[in-house]
Amino acid sequence: MKIIKTPQAMQKIADSIHRQGKTIGFVPTMGYLHQGHLDLVKIARRKSDIVVVSIFVNPTQFGPKEDLNKYPRDFNRDEKLLAKEKVDYIFYPTVKSMYPKNYATSIDLPSLTNVLCGKSRPAHFQGVATIVAKLFNIVKPDLAVFGQKDGQQAVIIKQMVQDLNFPIKIIVAPTTREKDGLAMSSRNIYLTPEQREQAVVLYHALQHAKKMIKDGEKNIHKIIALMEELIESIPDAKIDYIQIVDADTLQPIQQISGKILIALAVKFGHCRLIDNMIVKIR
Ligand code: PAF
């Protein structure tokens, strides 16, 4: 496994891999890896000749009051975990090499970036779309794997790939959950032991909503009210949003039908957790 630190070196390697007729599978990450990331890497490993994982805590997707400096980092541990998964290259650039002084470009998909999490995290998804586009141009993958846990991010990336004609297949992998159902996230370490126990309420609320829909409930307000009631029964939990939207356009829906996304964001103290579920109704 090789560690590549500059965009130029990574591009040269990618070109040489393609010249040999091999495919590149890519998993972009911000490091501090957990089983959820490793599950994405396993998919890339199964489906491609060469696997590249990027580790880059992208400053442009953090707001001024967010946790950029405190974001957990442990490169040595990440390196060991990725070696076990037989990753071929880690792309581990510096901020300066990704955003030099005269850097000026940003990518936006307003109808998708300004809704759900985008409302309380302005500029977050512009930062995500921009860094992922840059990473795609540097790593030149044939396929890239993202997690359903970041459902809005996955929709944005798929749309960007289509709009900007990136020749890349996007795979969205199911959310990896802890035994009790909490979605795995690097941010879970911010939870106190008590909050960690309580945080499973997010999964329960989503499951409850899914069951109501499958049992024929059509009233969106009723479903959301029940989810709110469940989550608000936990004193530490502060709801940012709970929404039921079209799973492809992320726009609010008037009636329950087709492929829908139930999405939520809830704060436990300073720790903001997100989760979602897709439900398909004929
Ligand atoms: O999902 C993440 O970890 C990040 O948003 C990503 C895709 C690596 C871009 O920085």
Side-chain angles (χ1 to χ4, degrees), residues 15 32-33 136 139 141 152 157 162 186 212 222 229 233 241 254 265 269 278:
D15 286 340
Y32 210 73
L33 305 176
F136 282 175
V139 175
Q152 184 171 7
I157 301 304
Q162 189 182 312
S186 306
M212 280 175 93
K222 216 165 150 184
E229 197 184 306
S233 71
Y241 70 82
Q254 302 313 322
I278 289 181

Side-chain angles (χ1 to χ4, degrees), residues 10-261:
M10 189 68 242
Q11 279 172 320
K12 269 194 192 152
I13 289 166
D15 286 340
S16 137
I17 292 167
H18 287 308
R19 270 200 303 276
Q20 294 164 44
K22 292 182 177 166
T23 58
I24 299 177
F26 178 45
V27 181
T29 81
M30 298 208 298
Y32 210 73
L33 305 176
H34 52 66
Q35 191 56 45
H37 295 111
L38 302 180
D39 288 350
L40 307 184
V41 173
K42 283 184 208 299
I43 294 174
R45 182 68 286 162
R46 266 204 316 276
K47 291 182 179 283
S48 35
D49 300 319
I50 300 292
V51 175
V52 180
V53 174
S54 63
I55 296 182
F56 181 64
V57 182
N58 173 37
T60 65
Q61 68 188 77
F62 288 79
K65 288 187 192 143
E66 292 182 354
D67 54 355
L68 171 62
N69 291 327
K70 277 197 277 162
Y71 194 83
R73 294 161 168 90
D74 191 343
F75 183 77
N76 292 338
R77 182 175 156 273
D78 290 347
E79 194 183 349
K80 283 187 197 120
L81 289 171
L82 294 176
K84 264 195 210 151
E85 298 299 331
K86 303 203 173 0
V87 164
D88 298 284
Y89 296 94
I90 301 179
F91 178 51
Y92 184 47
T94 59
V95 173
K96 222 171 164 187
S97 71
M98 294 300 273
Y99 297 110
K101 244 191 186 155
N102 56 351
Y103 186 86
T105 303
S106 175
I107 294 178
D108 195 7
L109 302 72
S111 66
L112 299 177
T113 55
N114 295 338
V115 295
L116 302 175
C117 286
K119 274 194 180 157
S120 45
R121 302 189 73 191
H124 168 70
F125 288 113
Q126 288 90 322
V128 171
T130 306
I131 193 64
V132 172
K134 279 174 69 68
L135 289 166
F136 282 175
N137 282 328
I138 293 166
V139 175
K140 308 186 187 197
D142 297 275
L143 67 89
V145 194
F146 292 82
Q148 179 57 37
K149 151 84 178 7
D150 297 302
Q152 184 171 7
Q153 169 171 284
V155 171
I156 289 169
I157 301 304
K158 278 202 277 187
Q159 189 66 46
M160 179 185 78
V161 160
Q162 189 182 312
D163 292 351
L164 299 183
N165 305 91
F166 280 104
I168 301 170
K169 181 176 180 194
I170 302 299
I171 297 175
V172 181
T175 302
T176 304
R177 297 183 179 279
E178 303 284 356
K179 275 206 184 96
D180 64 356
L182 178 68
M184 285 195 188
S185 162
S186 306
R187 289 194 166 92
N188 290 351
I189 56 150
Y190 296 141
L191 297 167
T192 64
E194 203 177 34
Q195 288 168 344
R196 166 62 193 85
E197 251 180 50
Q198 294 170 349
V200 71
V201 71
L202 306 194
Y203 179 59
H204 291 161
L206 286 167
Q207 272 188 318
H208 227 88
K210 187 173 178 177
K211 183 168 184 314
M212 280 175 93
I213 293 169
K214 290 279 182 195
D215 288 348
E217 181 59 67
K218 296 278 179 215
N219 186 329
I220 293 172
H221 301 292
K222 216 165 150 184
I223 299 166
I224 292 180
L226 188 114
M227 294 175 78
E228 280 171 351
E229 197 184 306
L230 268 172
I231 295 172
E232 281 165 356
S233 71
I234 305 290
D236 265 12
K238 213 167 151 251
I239 297 171
D240 179 355
Y241 70 82
I242 300 176
Q243 276 195 44
I244 298 181
V245 295
D246 180 286
D248 296 319
T249 65
L250 304 181
Q251 301 308 307
I253 49 172
Q254 302 313 322
Q255 59 180 39
I256 302 269
S257 75
K259 192 173 151 206
I260 61 175
L261 180 78

